[in-house]
Structure formats: structure tokens, C-alpha cells
Amino acid sequence: MTVLAVWLVVAAILLFGLTLNRALVLWLNRGFHPPVRDGTDLLLSGILPGIALVGGLATALGVIHLLRIEIVLPLAAILMIWRRNDVLATFVDLRNLAGVGVRATANGNPFPLLASGAFIVLIGVISVTALFPAGSADVWAFQIPLAQSIVSHGGFVTPQIGSNFYGNIPLFFNVLFASTLLFVDHWLGAGLMNAAIFLGFLLLLTSCAHRWRAAGLLLVFFLIVFQPFFTPGVAVPLTDLPRSCFSVAAVLYLWRYLETGRPSEIVSCALLVGGAVGGKYTELQMVGLIGLALLPSIYRGKMPFSLFLTCLAAFLSLAGYWYIKNLIVLGNPIYPFIFGHPGLSDQWMADYRLELGRAFDPANRVFVTDLTTRQGWHDFFFILHDWFLDRRRYAIVALILIIGALLASFRRIFVLVATTAAMFIIWYAVMFNHIRWATPAYLLYFSTAYIGASLIVEKIAVSKTAQPGGFVFDMSARLLAGRRAINGHLFTLAVVVIALVVFCLPAVKFVYRPSRQPYSWMEQGVMEVLIGRQKLDGFLGAQREGYIIYRYVAANDLRTVFQPFDTGSILFAAAYTGGRDRGWLLPPYIFPDSENDVDAFVKRNNIRYFIRVTEKQELLAERVGAAKFGLAEETISRMLPESTLLLKDGFGWELYRFNGFPSQ
């Protein structure tokens, strides 16, 4: 029921955003004929700008501490009543889209049916996987607490949480999380808002095709959804994927503006890049790249100055607050970088810059990132091949499509290809510490491939009209003749069966022979949960270390538990039991002062239970710190003879009840 409630809230937010976006688009495009391509395009491409507008409005309310239900609901109702014609038109567009799909299916075109089915199945899969509490400590340490803090304060405070760094960085996506938590106080709200952003991006990309939106959505699924790089993190309340979707969508809107010249396209670009910059400092790079791409239009006078000012206002409405606030309060608009870091020690900043400036994995620190050297470029191309292309059929197909588009329509695809290359170069030269920082570049890579495919299809169609003949056109004619030779419904059935075999055969095989996961993007065991073969608790107990232990601790209200081997113990214990902490565990960084202080430490903190981890000793020692790890081991070894084993999981975690030291 919680999932349904959250989706209803998200759907209401999307409808509100679509209404605002429709009104803005028609106002910006007044005098432009036609003002929009069609209602379907306005519907599919309006989700992300709509979410951005909602986030901008929520930010404005948060600045004056009015982000509260009693303010938000009446304001939303007033705006919807004021724009009731746009609300009605949005529903009309939805009806027309459904009608077009039904008519196409009735006429023997199976692709709308397949695309709709695939999209519904994806929503179902996301809804189930959203129930899995995130395994990343950052979710529970920063992202959810930040959103909850915004809700509890009705807006923004400085710092937003008890961290000078994370409490003062741009928080646009946490504002979006808070917009759902405002109505449903559960971390699912943040996860499904992320999912809505991802789904909105897929629909935006689909809408960029001029001739084959339904079939295009299936290609989008093949390029993006069916691979393991993006989809597993869709419903995880982290900001990397949503800000990547915003950033890449901004580039897509830039491309659409260069194609059509419609003012709404470039303003939508400004809104989305503003949201991306309002969510992370690193997206400032996108402002520069988009500015470079627009320079020829500005220089030639094709972009009116009034439109430029409108774009600037749209950008600042989403991104401006965070930078102005930090400038006023902390004296540094991009706190804590470059201009100073009040509240953070010089040593902390030095360590943090060192962490950001080198690869997390020591094995990757051998690569040269200085692109002024020959070795740097050699290592760059090696990384591109080894991390992003090698043994990845999706990436190879995308590369073929991009090369084909360059040959077919070089001028129209060049901006996207150049921006993709620039983003990979910036990532490698500046942010080469983890592959996830390359998410925007990789997502734009596949988006460019999709646009390339649509341009190739369009080029073939135009060339066929102008100059009939040739092998490709002969084959196309034969296929069309074959399609007409058989009944339309039979053709539809045949295509549907082929698609189901291609996309669903792995799942069917899995049902009868569950030896491995059917789809590479699925975590081990997810399919078991989706088909009802395994309960969610069983899956989490088998896949998440400590899950069984922490659930047992919460169910029996055990206090106080000493767990020195998990630096996120309190966070995960709360996450696995509904998101609330009742003080079961000691803070993870509390250790005895010395070996001689063990007995006093146990009594002082009233330790009645403790958790022992018997595996991954070297990794734990590095994570906790060698000295603290040694003290923790000493404490556990002193308590172990006087303790009773209560529970053990499959990851080497053991929960003990401490019976007390014998009296001297």
C-alpha cells in the first residue's frame, strides 16, 4: 500500500508539473507556427521540465519556510484551477495518445502495444525493487536525512544536517525528495521520485524521434534499460542518476532547439541544466559546454537577447539559491572549494581533495590522467575501451549507430557527439576516481546513439522519396509488400511473439532452470522476488550483510548493542526497520580508550549485546582503522567467553548476548 500511495503522490506531482510546463511552452512559443510538434510530443517531453518547475517552486517555498502541506496543497489547487484548460488539455493528450496506440494496433502495427507493455512492466519491476532498502550508507547518512530535515523545517537551514560539508552543498534533488516525503513519510517517496525522473528521461528521449516513437521506445529499452549500468540504481535515493538525467536532458533540449528554433526548447534546456547544477557542483561543466554550443547562434544573432535573458532567469530560478546562500553565509558560492571552507579544517579539505583527485581503487592509480602527455591520451582511450566498450554489446551497437549517423547526417549529430566526447574527457582528466562519475557522459553516449538511429531512419526515408532504388530501398519495399500480403492482425501477432521470445525467453528459462539471473541488470535473486518464488525478507537476508541481525535486534528491542565493525550500523539498522532509529546500537565510532579501559567501557555504555564479524578482516581493518579495529577485537575477545550466541547470518555476522563479567 505504501508503494501505491507514493505513486499517487508522484503522479499528482507529475500532473502539476505537466500543467505548468504546458502553460510555459505555449506562452514561450506564441507566434511560432506550429507552437509544438503535436500533443504527444508535448506530453512525452514535458515530464522532466515539469519536475524541474515543481522543484523550483518548492525551492522558493523552502527559502521562506513555507514548504508545508497546509501551504502547498492550497497553492497547488489554486494554480491548477487557474490553469484548468491546460489540465484538461493534458488529459486530452493522454486520451489521444492512447487512441493512437489502439488504432495503430488495430491496423496491424504492433509497436505501440509492445512499447506500452514494456513500459508498464518496467514500472512494475521498479516498484518491487524500490522496496529493497538501499545498500549505500550515503542514502541513510545524507540523502534521506537531508530530505527529512527540509520537511521538518518547512524549508532550509544552515547547515541542513549536522555536517558542514553535506549540509551546505546544493540540494535541489533533496528538495524533490522532500516534495514526496511531505505527503508520505517513507523513504520510498525519494526512491520513486528518482524512478519518475528516469522514466521521464526515457520518454523525452523517445519523443526526439520524428517517425517511430513506439518502436523507438523499444530501442531505448535495449540501449539503456536492459543493461546493468543505469537500471539497478533507478529507485535508489542517490542523486547521481537523476542529476545525470537532468544534465543529459538539457543537452537533448539544446539539440532540439538547434533543430527547430522553438524558444521553449532552449528554456527547457536552461531549466534542466539549472536543476542539475542545483544538485551538484560538477554539473557546472555542462553550463560551459552548452554555452560553447550556443556561441555560433548567439554570434549570428539567431538567439534574441530577450530569449537569452529568459534562459538566464530559468537557470537561476533553480540553481541560484544554493550558490547565493553559500556566498552570503559562508563567503564561498561553491563551498568548500577554491574560495574557502569555514567550518572544515585544512587537513580535512586536503584529505578530501586527495580522495577526489585520484582513483578510489588503488589498482587504477597507475593510469596517467594528464592529457598534455602522450601516455595520458593512451590511458584515456584504454579506459574508454576497457570500462565502457569491451564485451558490452549495447555499447557496440550504440557506437555503430553513432558512426552511421555521422556518415548520414554529420551536421545534425555533431553537437551531441562533440559534447559526449568532451564530457568523457572532462571526467577522465578531472574526476577519474570512480566510474559512477562518468554516468552523465555514458548516458549521453547512448542517447546520442538513439538520436543517430532516428536520423539514419529519417535519411533513408527522405532518400527513398527523392531517389528510389538501391539495395536498402529494395529490401524495404519487399518487407512492406510481404506485410501487405498477410493479414494485418497476423503480422501484429507474429511481431509480438518474436519480441516476447527475444525479451522474455531469458525469464521463461529462469522459471524452469534458475541457475543464474536472466537479465544482466538484475541483482542476484531479484527475479525470484518478482515471480513470487522468494519473499522480500528472504532475499534481503541472503543479499544484505547484517540484515537478519539488525531486524532481530529491532524486533526484540535489544539495547545496547556494540557493533564496531560496521561504520553505518545505526543507519542500516534504521533503514532495515522502517527508517527510524530507537537507540539500539552504540554509535559506530565509540571505542575504549585503551586495552585497560575495556571493562569500564562495557559498563559505562551498558553493553548487553554485541556483534562479531568473522569474515573480511583485512577490509574491515582498513575501513575502521587499524588501531580502532584492534581495540574492538580486544573488547570482543574479552566479552566472548561470558556471552551466548543468539543468531548468525550467512555473511559471518554473529549476535551475542553478554552475560556480564564475573565478579572479582
Side-chain angles (χ1 to χ4, degrees):
M1 290 302 295
T2 304
V3 174
L4 180 59
V6 173
W7 271 124
L8 289 174
V9 170
V10 171
I13 291 173
L14 295 183
L15 177 61
F16 183 59
L18 284 169
T19 301
L20 295 180
N21 179 69
R22 184 185 185 89
L24 179 64
V25 167
L26 295 179
W27 176 74
L28 289 169
N29 291 346
R30 63 194 186 282
F32 197 98
H33 298 288
V36 293
R37 263 170 57 190
D38 53 52
T40 298
D41 178 68
L42 186 58
L43 188 64
L44 297 179
S45 65
I47 294 176
L48 287 189
I51 292 175
L53 289 169
V54 170
L57 181 59
T59 301
L61 292 174
V63 171
I64 53 179
H65 292 267
L66 293 181
L67 191 59
R68 306 176 187 278
I69 291 181
E70 59 270 22
I71 302 296
V72 170
L73 283 180
L75 180 60
I78 291 171
L79 288 174
M80 295 288 272
I81 293 172
W82 176 46
R83 305 305 308 183
R84 56 188 177 277
N85 290 335
D86 294 308
V87 177
L88 179 61
T90 299
F91 281 111
V92 170
D93 288 341
L94 278 170
R95 184 195 64 189
N96 292 340
L97 179 62
V100 168
V102 170
R103 287 193 297 273
T105 303
N107 292 330
N109 180 358
F111 293 108
L113 177 64
L114 289 173
S116 301
F119 199 73
I120 292 170
V121 169
L122 177 62
I123 292 175
V125 171
I126 290 174
S127 299
V128 173
T129 55
L131 294 169
F132 305 168
S136 170
D138 284 354
V139 171
W140 313 110
F142 307 119
Q143 307 303 336
I144 297 300
L146 283 167
Q148 290 173 336
S149 173
I150 292 170
V151 172
S152 63
H153 290 96
F156 312 126
V157 294
T158 300
Q160 196 68 53
I161 59 174
S163 167
N164 282 327
F165 178 70
Y166 288 99
N168 290 297
I169 59 177
L171 301 176
F172 177 79
F173 292 104
N174 300 98
V175 173
L176 291 177
F177 296 165
S179 299
T180 55
L181 295 181
L182 198 64
F183 299 95
V184 181
D185 186 18
H186 195 285
W187 47 263
L188 266 174
L192 293 184
M193 174 54 74
N194 262 7
I197 292 173
F198 181 72
L199 295 172
F201 174 80
L202 298 181
L203 293 178
L204 167 63
L205 186 56
T206 301
S207 73
C208 291
H210 288 267
R211 296 175 176 271
W212 50 309
R213 288 170 181 159
L217 183 58
L218 297 178
L219 179 58
V220 169
F221 268 62
F222 176 80
L223 291 174
I224 295 175
V225 176
F226 287 163
Q227 62 158 305
F229 195 90
F230 306 107
T231 305
V234 166
V236 177
L238 290 170
T239 61
D240 290 317
L241 187 59
R243 59 101 180 174
S244 299
C245 289
F246 265 55
S247 184
V248 175
V251 180
L252 294 179
Y253 270 110
L254 168 67
W255 177 80
R256 288 164 63 108
Y257 172 71
L258 297 176
E259 287 277 300
T260 66
R262 290 190 180 95
S264 64
E265 307 288 4
I266 195 63
V267 173
S268 295
C269 169
L271 284 171
L272 291 169
V273 77
V277 171
K280 202 172 186 67
Y281 294 129
T282 54
E283 295 310 315
L284 285 167
Q285 64 170 314
M286 191 56 67
V287 179
L289 293 175
I290 290 175
L292 285 174
L294 283 174
L295 273 180
S297 296
I298 296 173
Y299 177 76
R300 295 169 186 166
K302 292 183 177 180
M303 185 177 183
F305 185 67
S306 59
L307 180 57
F308 174 79
L309 291 179
T310 303
C311 292
L312 182 62
F315 171 79
L316 291 177
S317 67
L318 269 68
Y321 167 75
W322 313 105
Y323 295 83
I324 295 172
K325 184 265 291 184
N326 280 351
L327 177 62
I328 295 172
V329 177
L330 300 166
N332 182 357
I334 54 172
Y335 175 87
F337 303 103
I338 301 176
F339 302 111
H341 46 270
L344 299 172
S345 68
D346 292 342
Q347 184 60 47
W348 190 95
M349 279 305 300
D351 292 341
Y352 188 67
R353 286 196 180 100
L354 178 64
E355 179 183 352
L356 291 180
R358 65 179 185 180
F360 292 156
D361 187 346
N364 294 326
R365 294 173 188 170
V366 299
F367 296 110
V368 177
T369 58
D370 183 2
L371 295 182
T372 62
T373 65
R374 182 178 179 180
Q375 186 63 40
W377 283 102
H378 172 275
D379 290 352
F380 169 66
F381 286 115
F382 173 82
I383 288 295
L384 283 185
H385 176 265
D386 191 59
W387 288 19
F388 300 103
L389 287 175
D390 191 29
R391 299 180 302 278
R392 291 169 175 82
R393 64 179 181 274
Y394 310 98
I396 298 300
V397 170
L399 181 61
I400 294 171
L401 291 174
I402 291 173
I403 294 173
L406 285 171
L407 296 174
S409 299
F410 180 85
R411 183 185 59 82
R412 297 176 66 187
I413 198 73
F414 175 74
V415 168
L416 293 176
V417 175
T419 305
T420 303
M423 290 176 68
F424 272 116
I425 290 172
I426 293 171
W427 165 74
Y428 184 75
V430 182
M431 298 177 290
F432 180 65
N433 49 15
H434 197 277
I435 193 173
R436 71 187 177 100
W437 299 125
T439 300
Y442 208 33
L443 187 58
L444 182 56
Y445 171 79
F446 288 105
S447 302
T448 302
Y450 175 79
I451 299 294
S454 70
L455 293 179
I456 292 170
V457 170
E458 186 177 343
K459 187 76 171 182
I460 291 174
V462 172
S463 299
K464 182 180 178 181
T465 303
Q467 297 177 349
F471 174 76
V472 173
F473 306 128
D474 287 344
M475 289 298 296
S476 176
R478 290 178 184 178
L479 287 173
L480 289 174
R483 180 186 180 280
R484 297 189 190 100
I486 60 176
N487 183 275
H489 296 289
L490 183 60
F491 176 81
T492 300
L493 179 62
V495 173
V496 170
V497 169
I498 292 172
L500 290 176
V501 168
V502 171
F503 292 126
C504 299
L505 184 59
V508 173
K509 287 183 177 179
F510 172 83
V511 172
Y512 294 100
R513 293 182 297 173
S515 57
R516 61 186 181 88
Q517 286 307 101
Y519 302 107
S520 60
W521 55 268
M522 282 188 177
E523 187 179 353
Q524 185 66 31
V526 168
M527 195 66 187
E528 297 271 8
V529 178
L530 292 176
I531 65 175
R533 183 178 285 170
Q534 185 181 30
K535 298 295 184 182
L536 181 59
D537 267 359
F539 165 79
L540 293 173
Q543 298 297 322
R544 304 287 173 83
E545 60 180 7
Y547 178 83
I548 294 174
I549 302 289
Y550 290 147
R551 292 279 289 181
Y552 182 89
V553 167
N556 294 279
D557 199 22
L558 305 185
R559 308 183 195 188
T560 301
V561 182
F562 180 48
Q563 163 55 312
F565 305 116
D566 180 7
T567 55
S569 57
I570 293 177
L571 305 172
F572 287 118
Y576 295 155
T577 54
R580 301 298 178 189
D581 173 32
R582 295 186 179 177
W584 300 296
L585 284 82
L586 282 178
Y589 291 104
I590 290 184
F591 296 91
D593 296 328
S594 67
E595 293 183 8
N596 298 326
D597 187 47
V598 169
D599 292 12
F601 170 79
V602 172
K603 294 177 181 178
R604 184 167 62 247
N605 291 283
N606 193 31
I607 296 176
R608 301 290 305 279
Y609 304 88
F610 64 88
I611 295 172
R612 179 178 178 229
V613 180
T614 60
E615 298 180 6
K616 304 179 182 177
Q617 297 296 309
E618 292 183 4
L619 178 62
L620 289 173
E622 180 181 349
R623 182 186 303 166
V624 177
K628 292 181 178 180
F629 182 82
L631 287 173
E633 284 279 87
E634 173 64 23
T635 305
I636 297 297
S637 64
R638 290 281 298 276
M639 299 169 68
L640 196 59
E642 310 300 331
S643 304
T644 304
L645 178 64
L646 298 179
L647 186 64
K648 183 175 182 178
D649 71 4
F651 296 91
W653 289 41
E654 298 173 343
L655 174 65
Y656 288 86
R657 180 178 64 241
F658 176 56
N659 302 318
F661 291 122
S663 56
Q664 300 295 330

